[in-house]
Amino acid sequence: MKRMATLAAFVAAFSFFGGVTAEMGVMDARAEARQTVQHSETRSRGSALRPGDCIGIVAPASWLEREKWEKGVRLLKKHGYRVKLAPSCTTANGFFAGTDSARASDLNHFFADDEVKAILCLRGGYGSVRVLNKLNYTEIARHPKLLIGFSDITALHTALGEKSGIVTVHGPMLGSLAGDHLTAYTEKEFFRGIESYEPLGALPTPKGAPMKAIVPGEAEGVLMGGNLSIVLSLVGTPYELKGDGALLFLEDVGVSSYQIDRALYQLWQNGLLHRVNGILFGAFTGGDDDLDPGDPTTAEVIDYYARLVGKPVIKDVPAGHVSNNAFLPFGVRATMKANDDGTASLVFDEAAALPPK
């Protein structure tokens, strides 16, 4: 039963691409309106870090055993940083690292704490969405600083961008930095990112793993997005991603191709895929393990929606639930190029942070 509606959709979509042509007719009718969408305003940003600064560690979602993150603390200290742990980092409460109120309080406190120069999330998992209605967005806007994380932390990226208007970072978390699979690429890009107060320029890619164009073209806008499932879960809430004139980045883990189709079709119907200027797909891992014969793969689903949207689309951005996890500042203006020869690039045109104080 789980696939009945989706398989019917794919019969229409993949058996003959007339469906794409019909949808594109609707898209073309909206082209003029899309061209009038204004780019998102420049967001407030915190200061870049330098050795000796304090990084605050928060656990806004799930908890993690100490032995799985202590190595990450040692890595931060090795690079010269001081670390301050929020109480929720050492608290387990069911699915979560402490109660909803406690986890929200930790975030509010660390944003207001002038000693803390950046906030690094312990891990994702589940629970960030449950603190959104308890955050002091006005005070956070008065104390912008880099909040870094991915996966479930997408809820915070979206809410803080929409409600507080600050730059945040899709990047590795403390648990990632402590993991046995931490790569030189991830470590280098993390510290380069938090210490830079100039535009980061072209996003480097790991050796032998270039980004690729799906739909050729060039687009410019503010980078937003994150985990597809979390972006979808915010639709219809006060924290929904608007994405007007943005470059939309998406990744996910452990979701089947039919679930990705369902999510992308809903984002098509609610208008997000119409409102953005371009789309970048990161890693989609572990979703094709239980495909039935004849099922479309994740790659085929992504390719279908890329061509349906008809805007510049890039895939294989090195970010998500993978060892090589890039530093992607959300809320800064960037330019993506998907070239006719299949090559692609993403260039950050604005700095993610101000000079250190």
Side-chain angles (χ1 to χ4, degrees):
M1 290 182 62
K2 70 178 183 178
R3 295 194 174 104
M4 288 179 62
T6 304
L7 287 177
F10 272 103
V11 167
F14 282 91
S15 296
F16 66 100
F17 276 82
V20 176
T21 304
E23 292 277 20
M24 283 185 173
V26 176
M27 183 182 65
D28 290 340
R30 296 170 180 164
E32 183 177 351
R34 283 206 315 274
Q35 292 172 359
T36 66
V37 170
Q38 298 299 311
H39 292 300
S40 299
E41 295 180 0
T42 298
R43 293 183 182 177
S44 300
R45 58 208 68 203
S47 299
L49 277 66
R50 56 190 173 190
D53 283 341
C54 177
I55 297 176
I57 310 297
V58 298
S62 297
W63 69 286
L64 189 66
E65 298 91 337
R66 179 182 288 270
E67 59 268 22
K68 294 184 179 179
W69 53 258
E70 284 185 319
K71 185 178 177 181
V73 171
R74 292 196 294 271
L75 179 66
L76 295 176
K77 290 181 176 179
K78 175 185 174 182
H79 282 263
Y81 291 97
R82 295 181 293 116
V83 173
K84 181 182 287 190
L85 293 172
S88 56
C89 291
T90 54
T91 305
N93 180 47
F95 298 126
F96 314 114
T99 65
D100 296 344
S101 295
R103 301 194 318 279
S105 177
D106 287 345
L107 280 163
N108 286 328
H109 175 70
F110 272 15
F111 269 105
D113 185 347
D114 290 336
E115 182 186 15
V116 174
K117 301 302 182 183
I119 300 174
L120 178 63
C121 295
L122 183 74
R123 65 162 296 186
Y126 167 63
S128 297
V129 68
R130 293 173 61 102
V131 308
L132 299 186
N133 65 342
K134 298 174 176 62
L135 298 180
N136 190 330
Y137 294 101
T138 301
E139 283 301 309
I140 290 173
R142 294 191 180 113
H143 301 88
K145 56 189 68 173
L146 296 178
L147 177 130
I148 308 164
F150 71 103
S151 192
D152 191 73
I153 309 304
T154 296
L156 292 174
H157 290 313
T158 304
L160 294 175
E162 296 289 338
K163 301 292 187 181
S164 297
I166 67 171
V167 170
T168 61
V169 176
H170 185 284
M173 296 176 279
L174 187 67
S176 311
L177 297 175
D180 294 335
H181 300 292
L182 175 67
T183 65
Y185 172 87
T186 299
E187 181 177 348
K188 178 181 178 181
E189 288 304 300
F190 176 82
F191 288 102
R192 181 175 82 97
I194 65 173
E195 294 171 357
S196 178
Y197 51 91
E198 299 289 343
L200 291 173
L203 176 69
T205 57
K207 185 177 181 180
M211 296 184 290
K212 302 181 183 68
I214 302 180
V215 178
E218 180 176 340
E220 184 265 345
V222 171
L223 187 65
M224 301 178 184
N227 182 266
L228 173 60
S229 295
I230 303 302
V231 171
L232 182 67
S233 75
L234 297 175
V235 170
T237 75
Y239 313 100
E240 180 175 357
L241 180 65
K242 302 300 188 296
D244 293 349
L247 302 183
L248 178 65
F249 167 78
L250 295 170
E251 63 83 33
D252 218 324
V253 61
V255 289
S256 299
S257 57
Y258 82 91
Q259 294 171 309
I260 295 170
D261 173 71
R262 181 169 59 198
L264 290 174
Y265 196 73
Q266 185 168 344
L267 296 183
W268 169 258
Q269 291 187 102
N270 94 319
L272 178 60
L273 300 188
H274 295 281
R275 295 191 297 269
V276 300
N277 287 347
I279 303 175
L280 304 103
F281 288 104
F284 282 76
T285 55
D288 289 346
D289 297 338
D290 64 345
L291 290 179
D292 292 335
D295 282 357
T297 64
T298 293
E300 289 174 322
V301 172
I302 287 174
D303 185 76
Y304 169 74
Y305 281 95
R307 300 185 190 287
L308 173 64
V309 170
K311 301 175 184 181
V313 180
I314 290 172
K315 67 178 180 178
D316 295 340
V317 177
H321 294 75
V322 285
S323 297
N324 289 315
N325 202 355
F327 187 95
L328 300 179
F330 285 171
V332 304
R333 197 169 301 282
T335 301
M336 60 179 287
K337 292 182 180 180
N339 302 312
D340 290 330
D341 63 1
T343 60
S345 64
L346 175 65
V347 178
F348 297 106
D349 302 316
E350 288 183 314
L354 301 173
K357 295 180 180 179

